[in-house]
Amino acid sequence: MGRIAHLFAAANMIIRQDMATATGGMMMKMKEKIVDPKTALKDSKSMILLSRRFNTGFMDGWYGLPAGHVRPTERIHETVMREAKEELGIEVDPAEISVMSTMHRLNKKREYMDFFCMVNSWKGPIVNNEPDKCDDLQFFAVDNLPENTIEHVRQGIHCVFNNIPFSEHGVEGMNQKVG
Ligand SMILES: Nc1nc2c([nH]c(=O)n2[C@H]2C[C@H](O)[C@@H](COP(=O)(O)OP(=O)(O)OP(=O)(O)O)O2)c(=O)[nH]1
């Protein structure tokens, strides 16, 4: 069996506050946007949405991106759309999702492939739809993330804003760690 079968996959969303302002939270055509995503991408002062985990059993009290596991038979953009609705109450059009960076990651228990996806626009106001799993949802500057930001999430955000398409986290020497 190929090793890929052992991988968990997770989709992480980057939601920028300037895009909320530019689009008024509504889906609009690219040309109508005030902010060009390609230009804004390079702006490390961008504010992005982080969610503090609560009562989940994994990294509680730490900030991550809105995210979720990719279910069997699900495509990456479908995970983003589903989790955006579940966690934030917003509708995302598949054409408005861009995978910006991927990460091969090993934590204590699991091996992951992470997808860091820019959500270019959405429909509806952002709300904390899962207060039983998230006790804080707010925008932070990319160059001033909270200290309690999950380490691999910090790395993924760095990659997205520095145009680094792929990175690794914790996989160094993994052939000694896993069978
Ligand atoms: N729940 C959980 N998430 C983990 C673990 N390790 C790990 O890297 N993550 C990461 C992967 C995703 O980026 C993010 C998913 O968190 P979540 O709790 O929102 O997952 P989910 O919505 O898919 O919930 P579920 O279907 O797994 O119950 O956390 C872990 O052991 N448990």
Side-chain angles (χ1 to χ4, degrees):
M1 200 197 308
R3 294 209 60 225
I4 196 84
H6 303 290
L7 286 171
F8 284 79
N12 300 264
M13 287 168 242
I14 303 229
I15 299 203
R16 295 205 318 266
Q17 193 176 34
D18 53 1
M19 299 313 292
T21 312
T23 63
M26 301 300 286
M27 280 188 209
M28 296 172 78
K29 293 268 181 287
M30 219 60 148
K31 60 180 168 45
E32 293 168 323
K33 282 181 184 159
I34 300 161
V35 177
D36 176 354
K38 292 189 192 72
T39 314
L41 247 184
K42 297 198 174 69
D43 184 0
S44 62
K45 299 274 181 281
S46 283
M47 304 285 286
I48 59 167
L49 192 67
L50 295 186
S51 130
R52 192 169 59 198
R53 299 180 67 91
F54 172 68
N55 228 6
T56 69
F58 173 73
M59 298 303 289
D60 290 327
W62 289 70
Y63 284 94
L65 292 163
H69 292 101
V70 181
R71 292 182 178 164
T73 76
E74 201 169 51
R75 296 165 72 190
I76 304 303
H77 73 265
E78 291 171 331
T79 308
V80 171
M81 292 163 71
R82 177 176 54 76
E83 291 286 350
K85 185 73 185 163
E86 280 175 18
E87 294 186 7
L88 309 173
I90 57 174
E91 304 275 352
V92 178
D93 186 295
E96 297 295 314
I97 300 165
S98 321
V99 178
M100 308 302 294
S101 194
T102 55
M103 183 185 294
H104 185 195
R105 170 167 66 93
L106 188 65
N107 67 16
K108 281 187 204 112
K109 289 188 297 185
R110 296 175 176 178
E111 184 180 353
Y112 271 93
M113 202 67 215
D114 288 297
F115 297 84
F116 290 87
C117 305
M118 188 67 72
V119 176
N120 291 314
S121 71
W122 57 89
K123 196 165 145 188
I126 292 171
V127 291
N128 182 1
N129 234 5
E130 294 186 327
D132 51 326
K133 291 184 179 176
C134 163
D135 65 358
D136 188 36
L137 189 65
Q138 59 170 303
F139 289 96
F140 292 93
V142 166
D143 63 357
N144 193 23
L145 298 176
E147 276 184 18
N148 54 335
T149 301
I150 298 171
E151 204 187 318
H152 79 268
V153 171
R154 185 187 293 279
Q155 177 175 316
I157 294 167
H158 169 84
C159 289
V160 168
F161 283 84
N162 289 278
N163 297 315
I164 300 168
F166 173 75
S167 70
E168 295 183 327
H169 192 275
V171 294
E172 304 76 15
M174 70 181 288
N175 43 1
Q176 273 89 58
K177 294 182 203 165
V178 294

